[in-house]
PDB file of all heavy atoms in Angstrom:
ATOM      1  N   GLN A  78     -27.358 -17.994  78.755  1.00  0.00           N
ATOM      2  CA  GLN A  78     -26.869 -17.401  77.509  1.00  0.00           C
ATOM      3  C   GLN A  78     -25.475 -17.870  77.133  1.00  0.00           C
ATOM      4  O   GLN A  78     -24.876 -17.353  76.189  1.00  0.00           O
ATOM      5  CB  GLN A  78     -26.884 -15.873  77.607  1.00  0.00           C
ATOM      6  CG  GLN A  78     -25.801 -15.270  78.501  1.00  0.00           C
ATOM      7  CD  GLN A  78     -26.222 -15.179  79.958  1.00  0.00           C
ATOM      8  OE1 GLN A  78     -27.014 -15.971  80.436  1.00  0.00           O
ATOM      9  NE2 GLN A  78     -25.680 -14.186  80.655  1.00  0.00           N
ATOM     10  N   TRP A  79     -24.952 -18.871  77.868  1.00  0.00           N
ATOM     11  CA  TRP A  79     -23.624 -19.407  77.560  1.00  0.00           C
ATOM     12  C   TRP A  79     -23.749 -20.875  77.184  1.00  0.00           C
ATOM     13  O   TRP A  79     -24.719 -21.548  77.522  1.00  0.00           O
ATOM     14  CB  TRP A  79     -22.688 -19.251  78.754  1.00  0.00           C
ATOM     15  CG  TRP A  79     -22.655 -17.868  79.315  1.00  0.00           C
ATOM     16  CD1 TRP A  79     -23.160 -17.444  80.516  1.00  0.00           C
ATOM     17  CD2 TRP A  79     -22.107 -16.707  78.685  1.00  0.00           C
ATOM     18  NE1 TRP A  79     -22.944 -16.103  80.683  1.00  0.00           N
ATOM     19  CE2 TRP A  79     -22.316 -15.622  79.569  1.00  0.00           C
ATOM     20  CE3 TRP A  79     -21.469 -16.479  77.465  1.00  0.00           C
ATOM     21  CZ2 TRP A  79     -21.895 -14.322  79.277  1.00  0.00           C
ATOM     22  CZ3 TRP A  79     -21.059 -15.187  77.174  1.00  0.00           C
ATOM     23  CH2 TRP A  79     -21.266 -14.139  78.063  1.00  0.00           C
ATOM     24  N   ASN A  80     -22.742 -21.384  76.507  1.00  0.00           N
ATOM     25  CA  ASN A  80     -22.673 -22.809  76.166  1.00  0.00           C
ATOM     26  C   ASN A  80     -23.897 -23.222  75.331  1.00  0.00           C
ATOM     27  O   ASN A  80     -24.326 -22.489  74.478  1.00  0.00           O
ATOM     28  CB  ASN A  80     -22.522 -23.663  77.427  1.00  0.00           C
ATOM     29  CG  ASN A  80     -21.399 -23.182  78.319  1.00  0.00           C
ATOM     30  OD1 ASN A  80     -20.333 -22.822  77.836  1.00  0.00           O
ATOM     31  ND2 ASN A  80     -21.632 -23.151  79.626  1.00  0.00           N
ATOM     32  N   GLY A  81     -24.430 -24.400  75.552  1.00  0.00           N
ATOM     33  CA  GLY A  81     -25.610 -24.873  74.830  1.00  0.00           C
ATOM     34  C   GLY A  81     -25.263 -25.793  73.678  1.00  0.00           C
ATOM     35  O   GLY A  81     -24.348 -25.520  72.902  1.00  0.00           O
ATOM     36  N   VAL A  82     -26.000 -26.911  73.580  1.00  0.00           N
ATOM     37  CA  VAL A  82     -25.790 -27.899  72.525  1.00  0.00           C
ATOM     38  C   VAL A  82     -27.137 -28.359  71.987  1.00  0.00           C
ATOM     39  O   VAL A  82     -28.158 -28.272  72.674  1.00  0.00           O
ATOM     40  CB  VAL A  82     -24.991 -29.116  73.050  1.00  0.00           C
ATOM     41  CG1 VAL A  82     -23.511 -28.812  73.161  1.00  0.00           C
ATOM     42  CG2 VAL A  82     -25.525 -29.587  74.402  1.00  0.00           C
ATOM     43  N   ALA A  83     -27.128 -28.862  70.755  1.00  0.00           N
ATOM     44  CA  ALA A  83     -28.365 -29.326  70.125  1.00  0.00           C
ATOM     45  C   ALA A  83     -28.038 -30.357  69.055  1.00  0.00           C
ATOM     46  O   ALA A  83     -26.902 -30.422  68.558  1.00  0.00           O
ATOM     47  CB  ALA A  83     -29.133 -28.153  69.520  1.00  0.00           C
ATOM     48  N   ILE A  84     -29.050 -31.160  68.700  1.00  0.00           N
ATOM     49  CA  ILE A  84     -28.955 -32.110  67.590  1.00  0.00           C
ATOM     50  C   ILE A  84     -30.238 -32.027  66.796  1.00  0.00           C
ATOM     51  O   ILE A  84     -31.334 -32.178  67.355  1.00  0.00           O
ATOM     52  CB  ILE A  84     -28.736 -33.551  68.088  1.00  0.00           C
ATOM     53  CG1 ILE A  84     -27.427 -33.676  68.874  1.00  0.00           C
ATOM     54  CG2 ILE A  84     -28.743 -34.533  66.910  1.00  0.00           C
ATOM     55  CD1 ILE A  84     -27.240 -35.039  69.536  1.00  0.00           C
ATOM     56  N   ALA A  85     -30.125 -31.786  65.489  1.00  0.00           N
ATOM     57  CA  ALA A  85     -31.274 -31.749  64.584  1.00  0.00           C
ATOM     58  C   ALA A  85     -31.163 -32.912  63.607  1.00  0.00           C
ATOM     59  O   ALA A  85     -30.079 -33.175  63.070  1.00  0.00           O
ATOM     60  CB  ALA A  85     -31.307 -30.431  63.815  1.00  0.00           C
ATOM     61  N   SER A  86     -32.269 -33.596  63.373  1.00  0.00           N
ATOM     62  CA  SER A  86     -32.248 -34.754  62.473  1.00  0.00           C
ATOM     63  C   SER A  86     -33.538 -34.832  61.671  1.00  0.00           C
ATOM     64  O   SER A  86     -34.633 -34.644  62.206  1.00  0.00           O
ATOM     65  CB  SER A  86     -32.062 -36.042  63.282  1.00  0.00           C
ATOM     66  OG  SER A  86     -32.189 -37.181  62.440  1.00  0.00           O
ATOM     67  N   ARG A  87     -33.409 -35.142  60.383  1.00  0.00           N
ATOM     68  CA  ARG A  87     -34.579 -35.390  59.536  1.00  0.00           C
ATOM     69  C   ARG A  87     -34.718 -36.884  59.224  1.00  0.00           C
ATOM     70  O   ARG A  87     -35.538 -37.257  58.387  1.00  0.00           O
ATOM     71  CB  ARG A  87     -34.472 -34.590  58.241  1.00  0.00           C
ATOM     72  CG  ARG A  87     -33.314 -34.972  57.334  1.00  0.00           C
ATOM     73  CD  ARG A  87     -33.333 -34.148  56.066  1.00  0.00           C
ATOM     74  NE  ARG A  87     -32.305 -34.610  55.123  1.00  0.00           N
ATOM     75  CZ  ARG A  87     -32.098 -34.089  53.914  1.00  0.00           C
ATOM     76  NH1 ARG A  87     -32.827 -33.056  53.502  1.00  0.00           N
ATOM     77  NH2 ARG A  87     -31.161 -34.569  53.120  1.00  0.00           N
ATOM     78  N   VAL A  88     -33.914 -37.718  59.912  1.00  0.00           N
ATOM     79  CA  VAL A  88     -33.938 -39.162  59.652  1.00  0.00           C
ATOM     80  C   VAL A  88     -34.103 -39.961  60.948  1.00  0.00           C
ATOM     81  O   VAL A  88     -33.657 -41.095  61.052  1.00  0.00           O
ATOM     82  CB  VAL A  88     -32.666 -39.617  58.896  1.00  0.00           C
ATOM     83  CG1 VAL A  88     -32.660 -39.079  57.482  1.00  0.00           C
ATOM     84  CG2 VAL A  88     -31.400 -39.195  59.646  1.00  0.00           C
ATOM     85  N   GLY A  89     -34.748 -39.354  61.932  1.00  0.00           N
ATOM     86  CA  GLY A  89     -34.979 -40.036  63.189  1.00  0.00           C
ATOM     87  C   GLY A  89     -34.157 -39.459  64.326  1.00  0.00           C
ATOM     88  O   GLY A  89     -32.984 -39.118  64.143  1.00  0.00           O
ATOM     89  N   LEU A  90     -34.789 -39.361  65.492  1.00  0.00           N
ATOM     90  CA  LEU A  90     -34.128 -38.801  66.671  1.00  0.00           C
ATOM     91  C   LEU A  90     -34.794 -39.404  67.908  1.00  0.00           C
ATOM     92  O   LEU A  90     -35.984 -39.196  68.139  1.00  0.00           O
ATOM     93  CB  LEU A  90     -34.265 -37.273  66.689  1.00  0.00           C
ATOM     94  CG  LEU A  90     -33.613 -36.512  67.845  1.00  0.00           C
ATOM     95  CD1 LEU A  90     -32.103 -36.584  67.741  1.00  0.00           C
ATOM     96  CD2 LEU A  90     -34.062 -35.055  67.840  1.00  0.00           C
ATOM     97  N   GLU A  91     -34.025 -40.166  68.682  1.00  0.00           N
ATOM     98  CA  GLU A  91     -34.593 -40.824  69.850  1.00  0.00           C
ATOM     99  C   GLU A  91     -33.522 -41.019  70.919  1.00  0.00           C
ATOM    100  O   GLU A  91     -32.345 -40.733  70.689  1.00  0.00           O
ATOM    101  CB  GLU A  91     -35.200 -42.179  69.464  1.00  0.00           C
ATOM    102  CG  GLU A  91     -34.211 -43.129  68.817  1.00  0.00           C
ATOM    103  CD  GLU A  91     -34.865 -44.401  68.299  1.00  0.00           C
ATOM    104  OE1 GLU A  91     -36.107 -44.504  68.340  1.00  0.00           O
ATOM    105  OE2 GLU A  91     -34.114 -45.304  67.857  1.00  0.00           O
ATOM    106  N   ASP A  92     -33.961 -41.500  72.070  1.00  0.00           N
ATOM    107  CA  ASP A  92     -33.044 -41.808  73.185  1.00  0.00           C
ATOM    108  C   ASP A  92     -32.127 -40.636  73.511  1.00  0.00           C
ATOM    109  O   ASP A  92     -30.898 -40.777  73.605  1.00  0.00           O
ATOM    110  CB  ASP A  92     -32.212 -43.056  72.866  1.00  0.00           C
ATOM    111  CG  ASP A  92     -33.073 -44.295  72.648  1.00  0.00           C
ATOM    112  OD1 ASP A  92     -34.158 -44.364  73.250  1.00  0.00           O
ATOM    113  OD2 ASP A  92     -32.664 -45.169  71.870  1.00  0.00           O
ATOM    114  N   VAL A  93     -32.715 -39.471  73.698  1.00  0.00           N
ATOM    115  CA  VAL A  93     -31.940 -38.262  73.988  1.00  0.00           C
ATOM    116  C   VAL A  93     -31.408 -38.315  75.420  1.00  0.00           C
ATOM    117  O   VAL A  93     -32.131 -38.663  76.355  1.00  0.00           O
ATOM    118  CB  VAL A  93     -32.802 -37.007  73.783  1.00  0.00           C
ATOM    119  CG1 VAL A  93     -32.041 -35.747  74.207  1.00  0.00           C
ATOM    120  CG2 VAL A  93     -33.252 -36.905  72.322  1.00  0.00           C
ATOM    121  N   THR A  94     -30.132 -37.970  75.562  1.00  0.00           N
ATOM    122  CA  THR A  94     -29.476 -37.973  76.865  1.00  0.00           C
ATOM    123  C   THR A  94     -28.827 -36.618  77.108  1.00  0.00           C
ATOM    124  O   THR A  94     -28.011 -36.158  76.294  1.00  0.00           O
ATOM    125  CB  THR A  94     -28.392 -39.068  76.947  1.00  0.00           C
ATOM    126  OG1 THR A  94     -28.986 -40.341  76.676  1.00  0.00           O
ATOM    127  CG2 THR A  94     -27.757 -39.092  78.322  1.00  0.00           C
ATOM    128  N   VAL A  95     -29.181 -35.974  78.205  1.00  0.00           N
ATOM    129  CA  VAL A  95     -28.577 -34.700  78.586  1.00  0.00           C
ATOM    130  C   VAL A  95     -27.399 -34.981  79.522  1.00  0.00           C
ATOM    131  O   VAL A  95     -27.574 -35.578  80.587  1.00  0.00           O
ATOM    132  CB  VAL A  95     -29.601 -33.798  79.289  1.00  0.00           C
ATOM    133  CG1 VAL A  95     -28.923 -32.556  79.861  1.00  0.00           C
ATOM    134  CG2 VAL A  95     -30.710 -33.397  78.318  1.00  0.00           C
ATOM    135  N   ALA A  96     -26.201 -34.599  79.107  1.00  0.00           N
ATOM    136  CA  ALA A  96     -24.953 -34.803  79.855  1.00  0.00           C
ATOM    137  C   ALA A  96     -24.568 -36.280  79.842  1.00  0.00           C
ATOM    138  O   ALA A  96     -25.405 -37.160  79.665  1.00  0.00           O
ATOM    139  CB  ALA A  96     -25.052 -34.287  81.281  1.00  0.00           C
ATOM    140  N   PHE A  97     -23.270 -36.540  80.026  1.00  0.00           N
ATOM    141  CA  PHE A  97     -22.803 -37.919  80.107  1.00  0.00           C
ATOM    142  C   PHE A  97     -22.588 -38.285  81.581  1.00  0.00           C
ATOM    143  O   PHE A  97     -22.488 -37.392  82.436  1.00  0.00           O
ATOM    144  CB  PHE A  97     -21.528 -38.132  79.288  1.00  0.00           C
ATOM    145  CG  PHE A  97     -20.399 -37.175  79.570  1.00  0.00           C
ATOM    146  CD1 PHE A  97     -19.522 -37.396  80.625  1.00  0.00           C
ATOM    147  CD2 PHE A  97     -20.193 -36.063  78.762  1.00  0.00           C
ATOM    148  CE1 PHE A  97     -18.467 -36.523  80.895  1.00  0.00           C
ATOM    149  CE2 PHE A  97     -19.145 -35.179  79.012  1.00  0.00           C
ATOM    150  CZ  PHE A  97     -18.278 -35.414  80.080  1.00  0.00           C
ATOM    151  N   PRO A  98     -22.556 -39.561  81.909  1.00  0.00           N
ATOM    152  CA  PRO A  98     -22.429 -39.962  83.311  1.00  0.00           C
ATOM    153  C   PRO A  98     -21.190 -39.350  83.978  1.00  0.00           C
ATOM    154  O   PRO A  98     -20.110 -39.316  83.383  1.00  0.00           O
ATOM    155  CB  PRO A  98     -22.311 -41.485  83.236  1.00  0.00           C
ATOM    156  CG  PRO A  98     -22.999 -41.850  81.952  1.00  0.00           C
ATOM    157  CD  PRO A  98     -22.692 -40.728  81.006  1.00  0.00           C
ATOM    158  N   ASP A  99     -21.384 -38.846  85.173  1.00  0.00           N
ATOM    159  CA  ASP A  99     -20.293 -38.270  85.968  1.00  0.00           C
ATOM    160  C   ASP A  99     -19.666 -37.053  85.303  1.00  0.00           C
ATOM    161  O   ASP A  99     -18.504 -36.710  85.576  1.00  0.00           O
ATOM    162  CB  ASP A  99     -19.191 -39.308  86.239  1.00  0.00           C
ATOM    163  CG  ASP A  99     -19.733 -40.575  86.877  1.00  0.00           C
ATOM    164  OD1 ASP A  99     -20.529 -40.465  87.818  1.00  0.00           O
ATOM    165  OD2 ASP A  99     -19.352 -41.670  86.422  1.00  0.00           O
ATOM    166  N   GLN A 100     -20.407 -36.367  84.433  1.00  0.00           N
ATOM    167  CA  GLN A 100     -19.852 -35.182  83.783  1.00  0.00           C
ATOM    168  C   GLN A 100     -19.442 -34.158  84.837  1.00  0.00           C
ATOM    169  O   GLN A 100     -20.257 -33.761  85.666  1.00  0.00           O
ATOM    170  CB  GLN A 100     -20.880 -34.567  82.827  1.00  0.00           C
ATOM    171  CG  GLN A 100     -20.366 -33.333  82.090  1.00  0.00           C
ATOM    172  CD  GLN A 100     -21.365 -32.819  81.071  1.00  0.00           C
ATOM    173  OE1 GLN A 100     -22.001 -33.598  80.362  1.00  0.00           O
ATOM    174  NE2 GLN A 100     -21.516 -31.504  80.979  1.00  0.00           N
ATOM    175  N   PRO A 101     -18.189 -33.713  84.818  1.00  0.00           N
ATOM    176  CA  PRO A 101     -17.738 -32.750  85.834  1.00  0.00           C
ATOM    177  C   PRO A 101     -18.506 -31.433  85.746  1.00  0.00           C
ATOM    178  O   PRO A 101     -18.938 -31.010  84.665  1.00  0.00           O
ATOM    179  CB  PRO A 101     -16.258 -32.543  85.489  1.00  0.00           C
ATOM    180  CG  PRO A 101     -15.865 -33.789  84.750  1.00  0.00           C
ATOM    181  CD  PRO A 101     -17.084 -34.158  83.959  1.00  0.00           C
ATOM    182  N   GLY A 102     -18.654 -30.790  86.885  1.00  0.00           N
ATOM    183  CA  GLY A 102     -19.268 -29.474  86.937  1.00  0.00           C
ATOM    184  C   GLY A 102     -18.223 -28.391  87.102  1.00  0.00           C
ATOM    185  O   GLY A 102     -17.040 -28.662  87.339  1.00  0.00           O
ATOM    186  N   TRP A 103     -18.678 -27.147  86.999  1.00  0.00           N
ATOM    187  CA  TRP A 103     -17.763 -26.012  87.110  1.00  0.00           C
ATOM    188  C   TRP A 103     -18.311 -25.002  88.104  1.00  0.00           C
ATOM    189  O   TRP A 103     -19.517 -24.741  88.144  1.00  0.00           O
ATOM    190  CB  TRP A 103     -17.572 -25.342  85.754  1.00  0.00           C
ATOM    191  CG  TRP A 103     -16.889 -24.009  85.830  1.00  0.00           C
ATOM    192  CD1 TRP A 103     -17.425 -22.784  85.585  1.00  0.00           C
ATOM    193  CD2 TRP A 103     -15.533 -23.777  86.237  1.00  0.00           C
ATOM    194  NE1 TRP A 103     -16.491 -21.797  85.799  1.00  0.00           N
ATOM    195  CE2 TRP A 103     -15.319 -22.385  86.191  1.00  0.00           C
ATOM    196  CE3 TRP A 103     -14.490 -24.621  86.618  1.00  0.00           C
ATOM    197  CZ2 TRP A 103     -14.097 -21.812  86.529  1.00  0.00           C
ATOM    198  CZ3 TRP A 103     -13.271 -24.035  86.957  1.00  0.00           C
ATOM    199  CH2 TRP A 103     -13.081 -22.661  86.906  1.00  0.00           C
ATOM    200  N   GLY A 104     -17.404 -24.411  88.886  1.00  0.00           N
ATOM    201  CA  GLY A 104     -17.770 -23.346  89.800  1.00  0.00           C
ATOM    202  C   GLY A 104     -17.560 -23.739  91.245  1.00  0.00           C
ATOM    203  O   GLY A 104     -17.282 -24.893  91.579  1.00  0.00           O
TER     204      GLY A 104
END
Side-chain angles (χ1 to χ4, degrees):
Q78 73 273 29
W79 309 110
N80 309 318
V82 282
I84 299 173
S86 174
R87 64 178 186 179
V88 291
L90 181 69
E91 58 187 6
D92 299 331
V93 175
T94 303
V95 172
F97 52 84
D99 306 314
Q100 181 175 319
W103 168 249

